Structures are given as C-alpha cells and as structure tokens.
Amino acid sequence: MPSITAIKGRIVYNSRGSKTIEIDVITDKKFFGRASAPSGASVGKQEAQSFPDDNPKKALELFTTNSKKFIGLDPADPKIIFDVLRSIDNTERYTKIGGAIAYALSIAAIDSAAKSLDVPIFKLLKPRKPYKFPFPLGNILGGGAHAGPGTPDIQEFLVCPIGAESIIEALEINFEMHKELGKVIESIDKRFTYGRGDEGAWAPNVNNDQALELIDKAIKNCGFSLGKEISLGIDLASSSLWNEKKKEYGYVRQGIKRNTQEQIDFANDLIKKYNLIYLEDPVHEEDFESMAAITKRNPKCLVTGDDILVTNTSRVKEAARSKSCSGAILKVNQTGTLYDSMKFADACTINNIKIITSHRSGESSDAHIAHIAIATDSKMLKSGVIGGERIAKLNELLRLREYDLIEGMADLSTA
Ligand code: PEP
Ligand code: MG
C-alpha cells in the first residue's frame, strides 16, 4: 500500500490573480503530487466556503498545524483523506479549514498515488472499462459575473461539437468556432478590443439577443449546421440575476425584468429557438419546482443544475425526487473533497442524471478534472476553449488518447 510521507501547503495565485491554496503530497518519499484550488465568481450559497473568514492564511495555518495527521495514510483512498479532514473540520461547508484545503489536499493525494502506482488518475478512481471521452463544452461568448459592463447579462454561451468523431476533431471545432466568432464580432464592431472574460470567452459590447445572432452567423461562416456538427448550450447563472426581494430576474444590462413564469417561458423559448442541448441554471438556486417544469418540457435538452446542486449529494437526491434536472454540474471545490464529489457522481448515475464535470472561472493550470470527467463517465467536460488554464485540461484529454491503444478507451464516436 502506498503511504504519504510528506505534505506541504502554500499560498499561490489563480488565473484571476487571487490567492488560493496549493498542496504538495509526497508518497513513499518520491512520488510527488500537487494541486491548487480553483474558485468561482458566480458562487452558489450552499457551496463549500473557500477559506475561513475569507482568509487563505488562516486556512493554511490550520492545515499546517494538522498536516502530520495525513502522514502514513493511503493517498489512493479518497475516503481516508476525507475522514481525517472531517476529524479536523466537521462543518457542513468546510467553514473551519476551507474548501480550498479540502480540494487541494484530496486532489494532490490522488495525483501522488497515481504516480506511485504508475496508473493514470482516472483509472484509480474507476478501475474498470468502459472509459469514454466527455464532449468538450466550450464557452465562446460571455458576460454576467464573468465580464464587465456592456457585455450580455447571460453568463455563458457554449458550444458542444456533437458531430465530432474524435476528441481532436471536437477540440478543433470549438477552436474554429471561437476564432470565427471573434471575426464576426469585429465585423460589426470596429472598436472591438478582443476583450475576453474570466473563462476566455469573447466579452463584446452586445446584448443577449445580439450575442445569439453573432453566434448563429459564426456557425454558418464555419460551414456548420446547428444540430449536425455543433450544438449550443447556455449557462443563465440565474442566481446572479435573481432579486429575492422583488421576486424577479433582472437583466440589468438589457433593461429587462422577468418574473418566475416569464423566466421559465424565456428558458423554454431559448431551448426551442436555438435547439439547445444544454441549459444550466435556468432559474435561481432554490427553485427546484421551476427547474422541474423546464426539465419536463424539454426532454432532449440537458437541463442542468450548478448553483442549485452545488455538487451536493443531498441536493441532487432532492433534484432526483422532484425530477428537477437531467444534468448536473460536478465541481469538486463546490463540495470540498474528491470523496464528496465521487459520492455526488454516484448519486447522479443511480438517478440517471448526466454529469458535466466543470472548471471554475478562477482556475489553476492543473489538468486533474480531465481525469475526473472520465472517471465519472461525464457526458461533457466544461472547461472553456481558450486560455492556458483552460487548454491545460483539454490538452490532458489529448494525452489520455494514448491510452486508446492499450486500454481500449472509446473515442467520441462511441461515446
Ligand atoms: C459556472 O457558473 O458554471 C462557472 C464555471 O462559473 P463560476 O466558476 O464563476 O461559478
Ligand atoms: Mg454555472
């Protein structure tokens, strides 16, 4: 059995230049694992709290004081890491030690275990075939909490290369779409600065409707047809739009307000008009009932919960009971540890809710989520299109193709 022999944490910076936690785990004195925690901008209320009192230093101090407790543990067993962490912080949202520690520690441990056992991480988490590649779901245009004034209220306009027969082709379709969309934006706005939001998506000075028209044009320019090579998705990130006091969704940049029924109608219309295969958080994070209405009405679209589920096993069980979602975002740092996330994935699978493993808007250049997507049989990996911290995950998918030859890992054609 491999055994953790050294462990160390430090403060580093994420893609937004904000402080985060990085942890190194060494197994059997020589196998080095490392991970640093990502962070969100549109954060669900029930997510694990990144740092105690918003203070990374306090998180690191508590971790360092307790780090000896992890020495001698098996890094390949996410449950053991979870149990010891829980003996230090048993609060529901990791408010004492912080979700950033939970993330970085549990992922660094599995990273180090994989090296010591000389197997890829995905195989440690899911020992048996079949393995399938997720479709890359890429953010090409965005606004909301990820970009500045003048951009759309809608947080993410996403593309999914449904017609691709290999992961390489899939990535290339997304790159082509991103590039072409940049040209289309420039053609209507000579002062376009090539500005991009937190996730690398274009952040032009347009409203929601104009954004969709531009994307439609870019699809045509590329010679693609909607529903053939490519399909569209949207993350409405509705909790960021919701005003609890007024009970309405404020599309402030476009000057529109929608009550709950109007928001449901808007979501249904978007799915119909653009043949969306994916719609994330169409209503705010406590509205399981409206989610259920949208899910029921649109059986061909993955009506997906992000802020509403926060990678929380109890919440996804509740969503299964109320038939609120057909898709579930899996973000390890929303729930804390890798173990928490694998439990969540099991609950999704049992209830036939499709998993979409996802990055955060504030990311590291780590690639671990590519493995987590494969290990959880994720339908999609949502990790942007452009930007070093996004490409890191996509390039890892390409590297994992090399297991094709020896493992029989299915490429997209059979996924
Ligand atoms: C999202 O809302 O799906 C997302 C990736 O953004 P963030 O990380 O800001 O929550
Ligand atoms: Mg989201």
Side-chain angles (χ1 to χ4, degrees):
M1 184 190 93
S3 159
I4 296 177
T5 46
I7 197 159
K8 183 174 170 47
R10 66 181 67 78
I11 292 174
V12 295
Y13 293 86
N14 69 17
S15 60
R16 271 198 283 262
S18 303
K19 286 191 173 77
T20 189
I21 299 287
E22 177 175 86
I23 291 179
D24 298 344
V25 170
I26 298 174
T27 296
D28 298 339
K29 297 201 172 150
K30 56 181 174 186
F31 299 105
F32 180 84
R34 171 176 284 170
S36 65
S39 81
S42 59
V43 176
K45 279 202 199 92
Q46 307 297 332
E47 286 194 25
Q49 186 177 309
S50 287
F51 310 111
D53 303 327
D54 272 338
N55 186 344
K57 198 162 160 256
K58 198 167 166 188
L60 188 61
E61 277 165 10
L62 185 59
F63 170 70
T64 307
T65 314
N66 284 282
S67 62
K68 281 201 184 71
K69 293 182 179 160
F70 297 95
I71 304 295
L73 301 184
D74 177 358
D77 183 350
K79 167 93 166 68
I80 286 189
I81 307 288
F82 167 83
D83 285 342
V84 173
L85 194 66
R86 276 320 198 179
S87 74
I88 302 165
D89 180 352
N90 205 22
T91 61
E92 203 166 326
R93 296 173 49 238
Y94 292 100
T95 43
K96 202 166 155 199
I97 198 161
I101 295 279
Y103 178 97
L105 172 65
S106 60
I107 302 287
I110 203 78
D111 192 30
S112 150
K115 284 170 185 148
S116 78
L117 296 165
D118 198 23
V119 290
I121 293 172
F122 74 82
K123 237 189 133 185
L124 263 187
L125 297 175
K126 183 190 176 203
R128 276 175 300 282
K129 297 174 189 174
Y131 300 114
K132 286 177 183 169
F133 278 111
F135 281 90
L137 181 66
N139 189 354
I140 53 169
L141 194 157
H146 293 171
T151 59
D153 298 282
I154 293 179
Q155 185 177 286
E156 299 169 32
F157 296 86
L158 303 146
V159 285
C160 186
I162 54 155
E165 292 197 351
S166 68
I167 192 69
I168 294 182
E169 198 191 335
L171 297 185
E172 287 192 348
I173 289 176
N174 283 4
F175 293 138
E176 197 180 339
M177 268 301 298
H178 190 282
K179 283 197 188 99
E180 184 56 36
L181 181 60
K183 290 184 198 153
V184 172
I185 298 168
E186 196 179 2
S187 73
I188 59 126
D189 179 2
K190 296 295 170 221
R191 298 178 62 146
F192 181 46
T193 61
Y194 303 146
R196 296 196 261 121
D198 281 357
E199 292 181 353
W202 298 118
N205 189 0
V206 297
N207 67 30
N208 305 315
D209 300 325
Q210 291 163 331
L212 284 159
E213 282 163 25
L214 294 171
I215 291 169
D216 197 46
K217 186 151 195 280
I219 292 173
K220 291 193 179 108
N221 288 359
C222 288
F224 299 150
S225 322
L226 213 48
K228 195 167 170 227
E229 291 84 4
I230 204 154
S231 281
L232 294 181
I234 284 178
D235 182 1
L236 280 175
S238 295
S239 298
S240 315
L241 307 171
W242 177 244
N243 184 323
E244 177 61 32
K245 261 199 199 134
K246 295 185 180 163
K247 305 278 181 221
E248 66 187 21
Y249 295 88
Y251 293 74
V252 178
R253 298 175 191 174
Q254 202 168 1
I256 294 174
K257 291 170 188 160
R258 292 187 169 99
N259 64 27
T260 297
Q261 189 53 50
E262 288 166 342
Q263 180 75 359
I264 295 172
D265 294 343
F266 178 55
N268 287 334
D269 289 349
L270 278 175
I271 294 172
K272 193 164 170 211
K273 184 162 180 204
Y274 295 97
N275 233 328
L276 299 186
I277 57 159
Y278 181 88
L279 183 61
E280 186 179 325
D281 283 350
V283 289
H284 73 82
E285 61 203 312
E286 297 305 337
D287 194 354
F288 283 80
E289 200 184 321
S290 301
M291 278 292 278
I294 299 167
T295 302
K296 187 167 181 206
R297 171 85 174 258
N298 301 284
K300 288 199 185 133
C301 177
L302 283 180
V303 179
T304 298
D306 174 13
D307 292 347
I308 197 168
L309 299 181
V310 290
T311 317
N312 179 299
T313 304
S314 317
R315 289 182 77 92
V316 82
K317 284 184 180 163
E318 167 59 28
R321 264 193 300 275
S322 53
K323 298 189 168 48
S324 296
C325 307
S326 47
I329 283 280
L330 186 157
K331 293 170 170 167
V332 178
N333 84 315
Q334 273 184 332
T335 181
T337 69
L338 179 58
Y339 176 73
D340 293 292
S341 313
M342 297 309 285
K343 286 270 147 224
F344 174 82
D346 289 345
C348 292
T349 305
I350 287 167
N351 289 293
N352 194 27
I353 294 175
K354 300 284 180 275
I355 300 166
I356 297 91
T357 294
S358 171
H359 63 168
R360 299 308 305 254
S361 50
E363 261 298 334
S364 73
S365 50
D366 291 350
H368 306 109
I369 63 167
H371 290 259
I372 292 169
I374 291 173
T376 55
D377 293 328
S378 291
K379 187 84 187 150
M380 298 170 182
L381 173 64
K382 186 185 180 211
S383 88
V385 182
I386 291 293
E389 70 281 5
R390 317 288 150 191
I391 296 281
K393 285 82 173 154
L394 302 175
N395 280 343
E396 185 70 355
L397 290 179
L398 294 183
R399 288 181 205 109
L400 294 181
R401 278 190 89 234
E402 290 160 23
Y403 286 92
D404 208 349
L405 303 171
I406 46 173
E407 299 287 346
M409 183 192 280
D411 216 328
L412 285 174
S413 54
T414 51

